[in-house]
Amino acid sequence: MAKLIGNAPNQVPTNADLGSMAFEDRTNYITKGASVYQPYRNLIINGDMSIAQRGTSASGITTGGTGTVHSVDRMALAISGAGTWTVSQETDVPSGQGFAKSLKFLCTTNQPSIGAGGYITFLQKFEGQNLQYLKFGTSNAQSLTASFWIKSSKTGNIIVELADRDNGKYIGQLVSIDTANTWEKKTVTFQGNTVNSFNNDNLQSMDLQLWFGAGTSLTSGTYSGVWQSASSSRASGLDLQLQDTTNANVYLTGVQLEAGTTASDFEFLPYDVNLQRCYRYYQNLDIGQLGFGFSTANGQWMYVNVGLSTVMRANPTATQGSTSAVGSTNAIGVGVTRPQQILYQLQASGSGSDIYAFGTSAQITLDAEL
């Protein structure tokens, strides 16, 4: 390639020099107005099903009308009059996609004739303060695209739905399971709601639901394709009815919900980052020896402060698991909970006694799920 400037102070390139220059291809450079990778674009937390703090399996599930997380973090099962189910974390995943875990729903006792108001759905719930950037309730309301991998033992239509809990509005689409026992990737896009906005708080404002079965009071309406309030059309066209067959099952992984009209590749997060995001809603503290104190009188209380690594969504509900108290204590238990800390209380059984909160197998669970 010719020199742009020669050695002489006043030398400039000739037309011939410019014609022989090699220019760099900047096709892939970021330019003004071009889209840029957006971190945390996936509204779904733990969409790769890698975190399961509650355990890898939960069985005998028959109730949970508003959606309860049983195994894999943030992944809820909503069920009413639709048989008995087991929820588990599995290693069956689509080949070559980067996933290591999946979520499985298994019908262990079927419900051949589901009641009019019965249903079985998968869902994840979202805080309103995490949805403000979608600009719902304005003319600039953004569309949302859901994508996921699914494998079902039955073929048929399911419903993929967004439910606006602040305003009682719903929008759904039919998705077909084409081949039984085969991983398939599905993508659906929903228009933004220009009429209703979300509350800006830490409560449930919206959820993504996948309907696997429903009764006539939810399927008798006509699907409108737009945001609407009629419950009778929420599952219109659904015919999979997974609950009517014992051992029927469905696997899910790679669940993503993002702003825009196209689905991007699944956003994999480092394990520790994913775990910290789950901690906002649930923590299983396997903390071993938590605290130590010395009593000066029988019945004296000592409080042990435990700071949390993540601010939880709200004051958590604390459940004391294994205690294995060491020393002389009359009582131990959780005294006060806050989004950032808990205070554990111990009551001595006599003066001069060493008292401990826990032994080596101590556990406390903190639940602040939506």
Side-chain angles (χ1 to χ4, degrees):
M1 183 179 74
K3 293 181 179 179
L4 184 59
I5 301 294
N7 293 325
N10 297 321
Q11 185 176 351
V12 297
T14 64
N15 288 339
D17 290 332
L18 293 173
S20 64
M21 289 180 64
F23 292 91
E24 185 177 5
D25 182 2
R26 296 199 171 198
T27 302
N28 296 318
Y29 276 49
I30 296 175
T31 58
K32 183 178 180 180
S35 60
V36 180
Y37 175 81
Q38 179 185 352
Y40 299 109
R41 66 188 181 279
N42 189 5
L43 278 166
I44 299 290
I45 295 175
N46 197 32
D48 64 354
M49 312 300 171
S50 61
I51 309 298
Q53 295 185 80
R54 293 168 178 81
T56 58
S57 182
S59 59
I61 302 166
T62 59
T63 59
T66 60
T68 303
V69 179
H70 297 281
S71 174
V72 176
D73 280 55
R74 307 263 35 240
M75 305 298 165
L77 179 70
I79 180 173
S80 178
T84 306
W85 293 77
T86 292
V87 178
S88 58
Q89 183 189 52
E90 304 291 340
T91 57
D92 186 340
V93 294
S95 178
Q97 301 301 318
F99 300 105
K101 302 290 185 180
S102 63
L103 173 66
K104 179 183 180 182
F105 299 113
L106 171 68
C107 181
T108 56
T109 303
N110 69 331
Q111 183 70 40
S113 300
I114 191 170
Y119 56 85
I120 176 77
T121 76
F122 155 84
L123 71 156
Q124 183 164 133
K125 306 170 185 178
F126 309 108
E127 297 177 48
Q129 62 190 1
N130 292 336
L131 305 174
Q132 300 303 308
Y133 75 99
L134 298 175
K135 300 183 283 290
F136 273 37
T138 76
S139 58
N140 295 319
Q142 294 197 51
S143 298
L144 284 164
T145 295
S147 56
F148 54 91
W149 285 89
I150 187 169
K151 184 172 86 166
S152 171
S153 62
K154 296 178 64 178
T155 59
N157 293 323
I158 66 171
I159 295 291
V160 181
E161 179 194 60
L162 294 181
D164 174 355
R165 300 301 182 178
D166 288 334
N167 303 288
K169 301 292 185 180
Y170 313 97
I171 186 170
Q173 289 194 36
L174 281 173
V175 170
S176 174
I177 307 299
D178 301 311
T179 307
N181 300 311
T182 302
W183 281 105
E184 301 173 327
K185 185 175 183 180
K186 305 298 180 180
T187 301
V188 294
T189 297
F190 305 96
Q191 62 180 316
N193 185 348
T194 60
V195 177
N196 304 113
S197 60
F198 295 119
N199 296 336
N200 187 23
D201 55 29
N202 65 341
L203 304 178
Q204 179 186 359
S205 285
M206 186 178 75
D207 51 71
L208 172 70
Q209 289 206 56
L210 274 61
W211 292 71
F212 302 130
T216 54
S217 65
L218 295 158
T219 61
S220 60
T222 301
Y223 170 64
S224 65
V226 297
W227 289 92
Q228 48 84 33
S229 58
S231 294
S232 63
S233 60
R234 289 184 63 185
S236 177
L238 169 68
D239 60 14
L240 186 72
Q241 302 295 7
L242 208 63
Q243 78 288 334
D244 68 8
T245 305
T246 298
N247 292 324
N249 60 80
V250 64
Y251 293 78
L252 289 169
T253 196
V255 182
Q256 184 151 288
L257 181 66
E258 58 193 305
T261 57
T262 59
S264 62
D265 291 341
F266 183 81
E267 182 182 32
F268 287 98
L269 297 178
Y271 184 89
D272 60 331
V273 175
N274 203 16
L275 181 60
Q276 285 293 319
R277 299 189 79 194
C278 292
Y279 278 167
R280 177 167 175 78
Y281 302 93
Y282 184 89
Q283 297 189 41
N284 184 12
L285 303 180
D286 187 3
I287 50 182
Q289 183 174 301
L290 175 64
F292 169 82
F294 188 82
S295 65
T296 58
N298 183 39
Q300 181 183 22
W301 287 97
M302 180 188 77
Y303 293 89
V304 179
N305 179 65
V306 181
L308 304 178
S309 63
T310 301
V311 178
M312 301 194 74
R313 182 191 64 83
N315 288 352
T317 299
T319 302
Q320 179 179 298
S322 175
T323 57
S324 301
V326 179
S328 300
T329 60
N330 281 332
I332 56 178
V334 178
V336 179
T337 63
R338 293 287 185 267
Q340 289 181 284
Q341 67 177 19
I342 63 172
L343 288 177
Y344 217 81
Q345 58 189 23
L346 305 90
Q347 186 181 44
S349 61
S351 62
S353 299
D354 294 336
I355 52 177
Y356 295 80
F358 291 125
T360 56
S361 61
Q363 289 187 340
I364 307 172
T365 60
L366 303 175
D367 195 334
E369 266 291 352
L370 287 163

